[in-house]
Amino acid sequence: MGKTKHTGPIKLSKKPDPSLWVSKVPFGLGKIKPHHVRDTLKVIWENKGNLPYATRILTQGVCDGCALGVSGLKDQTLKGPHLCTTRLNVLRLNTMGPMKEEIIHKDIDELRQLSSTELRKLGRIPYPLIRRPGERRFQRISWDDALDKISDKMKALNEKQYAFYLTSRGITNEVYYTAAKVARFLGTNNIDNASRICHSPSKTALNRSLGIGASSCNYKDWIGTDVLLFWGSVAANNQPVSTKYMYAAKRKGTKIIIINPYYEPSMEKYWIPSVAESALFGTKIADDVYQVNIGGDIAFMHGIMKHWFLMEEEKHGSAVNHDFVNEHVNHYDALRENVMNYDWEILEKSSGLSRERMKELAELLAHAKSAVFVWSMGLTQHRFGTDNISQVANLALLRGFIGREHCGLMPIRGHSGVQGSGEMGADPFVLPGGNMDEENRKRVEKVWGFEIPKWQGDIVGVTLENALLPEDHERKLKLYYLSGGNFLETMPDPEFVEKCLSEVDIRVHQDIIFNTSTFVDAKEAVIVLPAMTRYEQPGGGTSTSTERMVYFSPEIKGPRIEEARSEWEIYVDLAKRMKPESAHLIDFKDAAEIREEIAKAAPNYDGIQHLKEKGDVFQWGGAWLCEGGVCPTPDGKGNLIPVEIPELRKPEGHFYVTTRRGKQFNSMIYGETDPFNDADRYDVLMNENDAEKLNISEGDAIVVYNKLGLFTGRAKFAPIKTGNVGLHWPEGNVLIEKGVYETFAGIPEYQAPAIVEKAETYYAQKDTKYVEKRVAELETEPN
């Protein structure tokens, strides 16, 4: 870990820089772009009945949107107010009143007709509910009856037959920690969280490469670094405040490089509402864009490193930082041998980029004195996600871009709660303070006062599949306790997911609102428990940002849902009913007591116990992890890890499919049209040259299909790499295969090969063997 402390926010220059302007026409009139003022006015209107409370949330609370870590309207990167439409869109979830009884108790089929977007507008869940098989409506139930029913069922099961899952929806470290402890107290390691389907490969790869499980640097390191590289990340859309950091970086001369199959317009230019100059004239962000094939990142990185090793043959030290490598890095020769074994033809075909393009980036990085690598789902959501991230770490280690100012590796988080989930132990592979190894288990057992089960818990995807096991199987999932989350809209193959959910005896949905999965039947009962938001949590709560800042968010005065309860209190209540004789081991009195124990159980979080007031914050690990090149690995060195180029199966004329987000926050959709490219939810983004070969015109009805499912939409020409198409997520999940998990981290794969055809061609042939034959090609012809 590092000794240097974060020095706090810096001031942004107010002097205009016309060289960065997108256009001299003010406010981007006539261009396709977000309408921040209009969207802000819309949010004000939605919250008009509760504006004082909404204002207090924005000015006093820690953002429950992305994980940039804005506290009130301030952060630790730049001085001045920070506010974005992502946070404003989420705001209504916190200020809504309760749902009306006539809505709550509607016929279940009527509720099933509503989309998640429509359900969010109905209001908060006001009291506990239950629906048994054959019942057409939810019935009201008391808290005691609901928790007794859950605990009685759990007592009748073995510990491997029930599981917990926590979403990243505004959940605090205190809730994650309590859930992690309660799960083990009840004898199960079946507990997982939302990071499994986003950044689990990042943590796994960084741990094996550097001995760390989080960003090694800060957002401030973007500002003044030579190269800021975004890999498979659309930060401008998913973490909008980050565009202000990009603007500051551009003002300091930083080159911003984008690597993505789709040339995301929001990463090319952006009108930043909290910077007057940018709000008027826009800001050019990307200096260059490298459009790789979906799944071609490892080959591209091999190409960069191969150029480096060739440069080294001509002149020692021209590309590799040998002083750093010799002192702080293992396995240099093994990596070099692995990379040099690949010929250029393979690297070009897999990556989709020429040898010359690879050389351009290789030389830029070789000549740079500093660089920060930022990545997101574009690298992690593959069956080889951990290897993708290990390759990024290889690049940084070879150049010594670790453990110092303006350098580092950053898996940028998409939700404010998710960084702390694994660090609090709400994960089948880890406990607070470290992995599920014998040494850490014994240490945590001393803090907790009870034994922790030693068997390996299941990841979320496997847990769902376990619902379909034979009735007498020891891991047959019979009770699933869900704190938020909607697997119908986040996991591959929604039909299969629905089948799994319906096979569980009792399913518990602890949440603030209904979502579509709430209405799936269960064999014995669906129980719904109303939860508090983070701003209602008595004693406040904490969350951890991407850059390891632990922020305190106070309880905020305002209206309350009368029967909603703090989530950590619900877990404690359940545990005490299950094991009343040991209740003293789990009976937290308040949130402050939880923070006191977190500091003991997770040593990195020593300091969290002192967070008590608005604005309180500390950063675990210091400004830079691996400071000075010294890593928290057994020998103190980083590990270069040779990885193989994955086989990509795609017959000639077929396409790689990837999913992307539009006007949404995670799976919550806030608009049917993407403000950056004017695409609607059922537009298929494809390259015009590909479309021409298939005789497809823009706007044509087309079908994208494979052995798993079919997606009907319209062709929209876009700057996406040839041979690749983009669909919106979660709509595109119908094409993604279930049960394909990354080997090391267990993340589902969210990419797939598919066929694209004009709808008239497909439907004209659907009653022949034509479709079956075309799908079979995906199985038999490797590329």
Side-chain angles (χ1 to χ4, degrees):
M1 302 302 173
K3 295 181 180 179
T4 303
K5 301 299 182 183
H6 196 283
T7 54
I10 60 177
K11 192 173 182 180
L12 185 62
S13 173
K14 293 184 178 180
K15 184 179 179 181
D17 184 353
S19 68
L20 299 179
W21 293 358
V22 173
S23 168
K24 293 182 180 180
V25 178
F27 302 109
L29 295 175
K31 296 184 180 294
I32 299 172
K33 59 179 287 291
H35 299 282
H36 293 113
V37 174
R38 185 185 67 188
D39 289 348
T40 300
L41 292 174
K42 179 182 176 183
V43 169
I44 293 172
W45 177 257
E46 289 175 343
N47 290 275
K48 63 183 181 299
N50 228 336
L51 277 179
Y53 184 42
T55 302
R56 287 194 294 274
I57 288 174
L58 293 176
T59 56
Q60 299 176 24
V62 173
C63 176
D64 60 341
C66 72
L68 294 188
V70 177
S71 177
L73 298 176
K74 300 179 181 179
D75 66 13
Q76 299 299 307
T77 305
L78 290 171
K79 293 181 179 180
H82 309 301
L83 190 61
C84 71
T85 52
T86 293
R87 187 179 183 189
L88 291 173
N89 284 330
V90 178
L91 180 62
R92 186 59 182 150
L93 294 177
N94 300 292
T95 65
M96 286 191 302
M99 271 188 284
K100 295 178 181 179
E101 287 193 16
E102 59 266 29
I103 294 175
I104 299 169
H105 302 291
K106 271 188 175 182
D107 185 279
I108 194 68
D109 284 339
E110 290 186 56
L111 292 173
R112 285 171 176 157
Q113 298 302 311
L114 301 175
S115 68
S116 287
T117 302
E118 292 168 324
L119 290 171
R120 284 199 308 275
K121 298 176 181 179
L122 297 180
R124 297 269 299 276
I125 300 167
Y127 43 73
L129 300 165
I130 188 169
R131 189 173 68 85
R132 302 171 183 85
E135 293 181 345
R136 302 300 308 165
R137 292 171 171 78
F138 279 109
Q139 306 297 323
R140 186 169 185 168
I141 186 173
S142 71
W143 269 104
D144 282 338
D145 288 347
L147 291 177
D148 281 345
K149 188 170 184 63
I150 297 165
S151 61
D152 288 346
K153 179 66 176 180
M154 293 175 82
K155 289 174 186 176
L157 303 175
N158 80 58
E159 295 85 351
K160 296 178 182 179
Q161 292 181 321
Y162 50 79
F164 295 87
Y165 173 83
L166 292 89
T167 186
S168 50
R169 178 257 314 139
I171 289 182
T172 61
N173 289 325
E174 291 79 359
V175 173
Y176 282 126
Y177 180 82
T178 305
K181 184 177 181 180
V182 164
R184 276 56 182 237
F185 178 77
L186 299 180
T188 189
N189 282 322
N190 288 335
I191 180 169
D192 209 352
N193 65 82
S195 70
R196 179 70 49 215
I197 56 178
C198 57
H199 268 300
S200 53
S202 301
K203 180 177 180 180
T204 305
L206 289 175
N207 190 49
R208 73 179 188 178
S209 294
L210 300 169
I212 62 177
S215 172
S216 72
C217 59
N218 307 286
Y219 302 122
K220 277 182 68 176
D221 291 311
W222 295 15
I223 305 167
T225 187
D226 287 350
V227 181
L228 177 57
L229 193 153
F230 290 92
W231 215 305
S233 172
V234 191
N237 193 20
N238 299 321
Q239 297 93 0
V241 169
S242 70
T243 56
K244 197 169 183 178
Y245 312 156
M246 297 180 211
Y247 169 85
K250 297 287 287 187
R251 295 294 302 261
K252 290 282 189 178
T254 296
K255 287 189 177 298
I256 296 182
I257 305 299
I258 313 299
I259 301 173
N260 208 48
Y262 175 49
Y263 193 152
E264 288 281 355
S266 65
M267 296 297 285
E268 178 187 18
K269 51 183 179 287
Y270 200 93
W271 282 257
I272 306 166
S274 55
V275 177
E277 175 190 23
S278 182
L280 279 170
F281 305 113
T283 299
K284 299 174 186 175
I285 294 177
D287 288 283
D288 204 350
V289 178
Y290 292 82
Q291 293 184 259
V292 296
N293 278 329
I294 296 167
D297 304 282
I298 288 177
F300 182 40
M301 287 184 264
H302 268 65
I304 293 170
M305 289 187 284
K306 184 164 184 171
H307 276 300
W308 284 352
F309 294 134
L310 291 173
M311 291 166 68
E312 286 294 317
E313 291 178 2
E314 294 184 9
K315 182 181 178 182
H316 183 77
S318 60
V320 174
N321 184 338
H322 289 286
D323 289 341
F324 184 89
V325 169
N326 292 338
E327 187 174 354
H328 300 295
V329 179
N330 296 317
H331 315 308
Y332 176 82
D333 291 337
L335 178 68
R336 185 184 184 282
E337 181 180 0
N338 171 264
V339 169
M340 297 304 286
N341 280 338
Y342 284 99
D343 61 42
W344 288 113
E345 182 181 0
I346 292 175
L347 299 180
E348 289 179 325
K349 185 176 183 180
S350 180
S351 69
L353 289 161
S354 69
R355 175 178 177 177
E356 290 71 29
R357 282 290 278 159
M358 296 180 203
K359 187 175 183 180
E360 289 175 15
L361 186 54
E363 289 183 339
L364 176 66
L365 293 172
H367 297 147
K369 293 187 173 74
S370 59
V372 176
F373 299 146
V374 181
W375 68 88
S376 194
M377 308 301 94
L379 283 192
T380 60
Q381 290 182 330
H382 295 267
R383 67 183 185 277
F384 39 84
T386 297
D387 283 349
N388 273 342
I389 311 310
S390 290
Q391 278 283 76
V392 180
N394 287 341
L395 295 176
L397 286 170
L398 287 173
R399 290 291 302 134
F401 294 152
I402 292 289
R404 57 189 174 92
E405 188 179 22
H406 301 318
C407 293
L409 297 167
M410 179 177 284
I412 192 167
R413 293 291 197 167
H415 205 295
S416 63
V418 75
Q419 179 65 42
S421 58
E423 292 168 353
M424 296 297 102
D427 184 299
F429 299 114
V430 302
L431 291 168
N435 294 326
M436 187 79 79
D437 54 59
E438 189 66 19
E439 181 182 355
N440 195 47
R441 181 186 291 110
K442 292 295 183 185
R443 184 188 62 80
V444 177
E445 284 178 344
K446 289 181 180 179
V447 177
W448 286 354
F450 57 83
E451 289 190 2
I452 296 169
K454 295 183 179 180
W455 50 272
Q456 177 59 55
D458 290 321
I459 60 174
V460 56
V462 174
T463 296
L464 280 167
E465 293 170 11
N466 286 349
L468 303 182
L469 290 171
E471 195 66 28
D472 58 352
H473 196 286
E474 71 165 357
R475 284 186 182 255
K476 163 79 171 178
L477 180 67
K478 296 190 176 182
L479 185 145
Y480 208 178
Y481 197 116
L482 306 165
S483 179
N486 184 359
F487 298 138
L488 291 180
E489 298 185 3
T490 56
M491 295 293 285
D493 198 341
E495 285 188 14
F496 176 77
V497 170
E498 183 171 4
K499 181 180 180 182
C500 294
L501 291 174
S502 67
E503 287 295 313
V504 179
D505 288 354
I506 292 181
R507 214 173 56 249
V508 182
H509 292 267
Q510 182 172 293
D511 213 331
I512 61 175
I513 57 172
F514 281 158
N515 67 55
T516 54
S517 68
T518 318
F519 309 134
V520 176
D521 291 334
K523 293 170 74 174
E524 293 180 13
V526 176
I527 297 175
V528 181
L529 302 177
M532 287 181 170
T533 70
R534 68 166 55 179
Y535 307 116
E536 298 165 347
Q537 182 173 296
T542 62
S543 60
T544 308
S545 75
T546 291
E547 57 182 349
R548 297 171 282 106
M549 294 281 183
V550 185
Y551 289 90
F552 180 77
S553 189
E555 179 183 1
I556 296 174
K557 181 182 178 181
R560 294 291 184 263
I561 303 298
E562 187 174 347
E563 291 196 43
R565 297 180 63 185
S566 174
E567 297 199 65
W568 67 261
E569 291 182 295
I570 303 171
Y571 284 119
V572 168
D573 194 345
L574 175 65
K576 290 162 67 176
R577 292 167 193 260
M578 286 282 290
K579 294 185 176 183
E581 71 284 357
S582 304
H584 63 285
L585 297 174
I586 199 74
D587 191 15
F588 292 117
K589 298 297 187 295
D590 54 36
E593 189 175 343
I594 301 174
R595 291 190 284 275
E596 290 283 348
E597 189 172 292
I598 290 173
K600 299 172 185 175
N604 283 342
Y605 276 74
D606 187 8
I608 193 173
Q609 69 273 34
H610 305 307
L611 306 183
K612 299 176 182 178
E613 305 292 338
K614 170 192 168 185
D616 285 354
V617 60
F618 83 99
Q619 182 181 41
W620 71 258
W624 308 297
L625 302 185
C626 304
E627 186 170 355
V630 180
C631 297
T633 54
D635 63 359
K637 293 186 176 183
N639 297 304
L640 293 168
I641 298 179
V643 299
E644 302 303 323
I645 294 176
E647 179 186 18
L648 303 176
R649 299 180 63 84
K650 180 178 75 69
E652 190 68 29
H654 294 54
F655 292 82
Y656 295 126
V657 174
T658 190
T659 54
R660 65 183 297 277
R661 293 180 176 92
K663 188 175 177 59
Q664 62 193 98
F665 176 57
N666 293 335
S667 63
M668 295 188 291
I669 299 165
Y670 287 100
E672 294 301 310
T673 302
D674 188 323
F676 294 106
N677 62 11
D678 205 33
D680 74 24
R681 303 297 302 182
Y682 288 88
D683 278 339
V684 178
L685 304 181
M686 64 186 305
N687 189 287
E688 187 172 358
N689 293 328
D690 288 332
E692 186 177 348
K693 293 175 184 177
L694 297 173
N695 195 30
I696 292 172
S697 300
E698 187 162 32
D700 280 354
I702 61 175
V703 172
V704 185
Y705 66 97
N706 56 23
K707 65 176 183 178
L708 305 168
L710 177 147
F711 181 95
T712 302
R714 293 193 177 277
K716 184 171 182 63
F717 296 164
I720 192 168
K721 183 72 177 178
T722 56
N724 303 267
V725 295
L727 307 178
H728 281 99
W729 179 86
E731 290 87 348
N733 282 356
V734 294
L735 300 174
I736 307 301
E737 187 170 6
K738 68 179 184 296
V740 180
Y741 304 113
E742 198 269 348
T743 303
F744 302 101
I747 192 172
E749 177 164 51
Y750 284 85
Q751 329 292 328
I755 302 159
V756 178
E757 291 183 358
K758 295 182 75 168
E760 61 187 58
T761 303
Y762 175 86
Y763 287 108
Q765 303 286 350
K766 71 175 182 177
D767 295 325
T768 72
K769 295 293 183 182
Y770 169 78
V771 172
E772 288 84 349
K773 180 177 181 297
R774 292 278 278 153
V775 169
E777 293 175 6
L778 292 171
E779 304 297 302
T780 59
E781 298 183 30
N783 183 31

